[in-house]
Amino acid sequence: MSMSAEEILINCEKQFSFIKKDIDVLIEYIIELISQCEQIDNSGFYKKEIEKLLEQLKREKTDLAKNTYERELSSDTHIAIETYHEIQRFAERKRETIAEFKTQVYSFKKDVLIKEQENILKAFNKDIFKDLNSLKNELIAKYKNDQDKIYIKKMFETNQHKLINKTSDQIYSLIMEDLKELKASNQVIAKEIIGDSIQLYKEDLDVIKAIKDSANKLSLLKESKNFQKDIKQYFLSSSKLAEQEAIRKDNVIKIVKAIREVGYIVKEENIRKLEEKNMILIHGEKLTGETADFVVKLDGSFVYNWEGFEGREHDSDAQAFIKKLKEFNLHSSDEFNKQYREPKYIAKNRQNINSKKNKNSSK
């Protein structure tokens, strides 16, 4: 006999720690930006505005802790679907808020970079240079960022025939305006945003892979007239995809551990990802022949199927498995779409699967 069921898994600990990490990294970024403002902004305008964002973000962090870690789910029962949706709505609101904060921060960063160029221009002594090469070296020395240094060097080399007949004022103004335009361009801001995302998720290549399409779309929006809106959409989509992939990966580890602990053998080759359907398949077997199969989806749901049992003996294995998941702090909903099937159906279904396998292996 076979028993199949579908449930929703919720990994609260992983989900909210992921959002918390996003907030923590953004707080670090803002603190660094405030430090940059102190060096370039005499009026203190940018610093004050960014400090307001920092205080608001800290309040969001406190609210996250209050509404998640201090509101633990019971590990004794299945979660209600309503509770699952409530948690997801809360997470969605937090992602939306963080995306809005990030959009504002990068908008300020753009203004700060422009202001930085203006300050460098004011502080530079244009009378000390003797030739183009000394001006180039003097300019390069004013910048900490390696990309800026490379850009200035390349600009001098590419435009030497044009610059040679210009005055120092003209050369310097030309380079400064060029750098201001470059630093404020959508292309450069998008590159920094994507780079920061990769840095945030660098410990998990699967997560970086999950946000690849969103990153590619953002990098192509060089001429976008709604770039702030595009940035926010990137933050929303990339953070959700990254969170889903990280949680699913954690869920898969816990599912494999749980099924092994209730007596099933799970080989590494029997854990595989179907890229085209974006789902992970897990197959486990008992020495006595019974099998358990799992499909773990990106949306948090998973399907399990138990085969090869007499009567409804698989129910006790399923219950032991769910109990193990709870021990690993992984909660699940009540089963839905639950079905029991007779051995005839299983034999026919297995025959179809085997014939497909044989067909694929002969290609």
Side-chain angles (χ1 to χ4, degrees), residues 114-130:
I114 292 172
K115 184 77 173 175
E116 185 180 51
Q117 302 312 304
E118 292 171 353
N119 279 30
I120 290 173
L121 176 59
K122 287 176 187 175
F124 187 71
N125 184 355
K126 296 182 286 294
D127 299 324
I128 63 170
F129 92 102
K130 297 176 182 178

Side-chain angles (χ1 to χ4, degrees), residues 75-78 322-330 332:
S75 60
D76 298 326
T77 58
H78 282 78
I322 294 296
K323 186 180 177 183
K324 280 291 176 187
L325 289 183
K326 289 174 185 172
E327 288 176 13
F328 303 146
N329 207 21
L330 189 60
S332 63

Side-chain angles (χ1 to χ4, degrees), residues 139-292:
L139 271 171
I140 289 172
K142 291 287 180 184
Y143 287 86
K144 296 177 183 177
N145 187 303
D146 287 340
Q147 288 300 318
D148 292 340
K149 292 176 185 285
I150 291 168
Y151 180 78
I152 293 168
K153 184 174 182 290
K154 188 175 179 182
M155 188 180 177
F156 269 90
E157 290 171 355
T158 306
N159 298 290
Q160 188 169 5
H161 62 291
K162 294 179 185 177
L163 298 175
I164 200 163
N165 295 319
K166 294 187 182 295
T167 66
S168 60
D169 281 353
Q170 288 173 328
I171 293 169
Y172 197 78
S173 295
L174 180 69
I175 290 167
M176 285 299 102
E177 287 305 313
D178 223 40
L179 271 169
K180 277 167 65 175
E181 187 178 333
L182 175 73
K183 281 180 169 291
S185 69
N186 292 352
Q187 185 179 6
V188 169
I189 297 296
K191 187 177 179 181
E192 182 176 358
I193 288 170
I194 293 166
D196 288 344
S197 294
I198 291 170
Q199 183 67 20
L200 178 63
Y201 308 131
K202 65 180 180 180
E203 295 169 3
D204 197 325
L205 293 177
D206 290 323
V207 171
I208 292 174
K209 191 176 178 182
I211 66 168
K212 186 179 176 182
D213 286 343
S214 293
N216 286 341
K217 284 178 186 175
L218 183 66
S219 66
L220 295 172
L221 297 172
K222 298 174 188 176
E223 309 301 326
S224 173
K225 293 179 181 178
N226 296 303
F227 193 55
Q228 280 200 322
K229 186 179 176 182
D230 297 327
I231 289 172
K232 183 177 176 180
Q233 187 53 47
Y234 168 76
F235 287 135
L236 275 171
S237 62
S238 63
S239 63
K240 186 171 183 177
L241 285 167
E243 181 188 308
Q244 285 177 325
E245 184 60 40
I247 289 169
R248 179 169 66 175
K249 195 170 183 179
D250 196 58
N251 289 351
V252 167
I253 291 168
K254 289 175 179 177
I255 286 171
V256 171
K257 188 177 178 184
I259 195 65
R260 281 173 173 165
E261 290 200 11
V262 296
Y264 287 77
I265 297 166
V266 182
K267 298 177 182 177
E268 290 301 319
E269 61 266 28
N270 286 333
I271 306 168
R272 55 197 183 92
K273 186 173 184 179
L274 294 183
E275 295 286 352
E276 67 278 8
K277 293 186 177 178
N278 205 357
M279 56 178 59
I280 294 173
L281 307 182
I282 303 165
H283 175 76
E285 292 183 11
K286 275 188 171 182
L287 292 173
T288 47
E290 295 89 348
T291 65

